[in-house]
């Protein structure tokens, strides 16, 4: 949608061309989440995981990021939480079956990074 809206094919270039908002992010499958802040492009790295099913990964990403923002988390932290939630979903069956609760995601994140 970002490419279609801006008419620009490169993700970073399309983010820079997108006007009207202060911070904007875009997912691109297994690639890092890229976001624009103050005219620069930043990235949230993907979470390495064994993929079982990618069904609904984008929806889970958006739900996780939105939930984190509603809790008052910083934008980049919310994107990292959304990224982890999507990786969890991909590793646990995809779709509604793979969508984590907050406790499941927190436990999984602790296991992954400790």
């Amino acid at each position: 949608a970002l490419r279609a809206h801006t008419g620009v094919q490169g993700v970073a270039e399309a983010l820079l061309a997108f006007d009207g908002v202060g911070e904007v992010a875009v997912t691109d499958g297994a690639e890092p989440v890229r976001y624009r802040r103050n005219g620069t492009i930043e990235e949230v790295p993907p979470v390495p995981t064994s993929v079982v099913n990618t069904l609904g990964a984008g929806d889970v990403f958006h739900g996780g990021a939105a939930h984190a923002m509603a809790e008052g988390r910083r934008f980049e932290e919310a994107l990292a939480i959304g990224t982890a939630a999507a990786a969890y979903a991909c590793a646990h069956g995809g779709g509604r079956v793979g969508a984590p609760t907050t406790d499941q995601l927190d436990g999984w994140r602790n296991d992954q990074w400790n």
Side-chain angles (χ1 to χ4, degrees), residues 27-29 53-66 82-83 85-87 89-90 94-95:
T27 61
D28 192 17
N53 188 332
T54 62
L55 179 68
D59 293 331
V60 172
F61 167 85
H62 289 105
T83 298
C90 290

Side-chain angles (χ1 to χ4, degrees), residues 51-85:
V51 174
V52 173
N53 188 332
T54 62
L55 179 68
D59 293 331
V60 172
F61 167 85
H62 289 105
H67 180 73
M69 284 189 277
E71 291 181 328
R73 309 275 184 125
R74 294 182 339 265
F75 187 64
E76 60 273 8
E77 185 180 9
L79 296 177
I81 290 169
T83 298

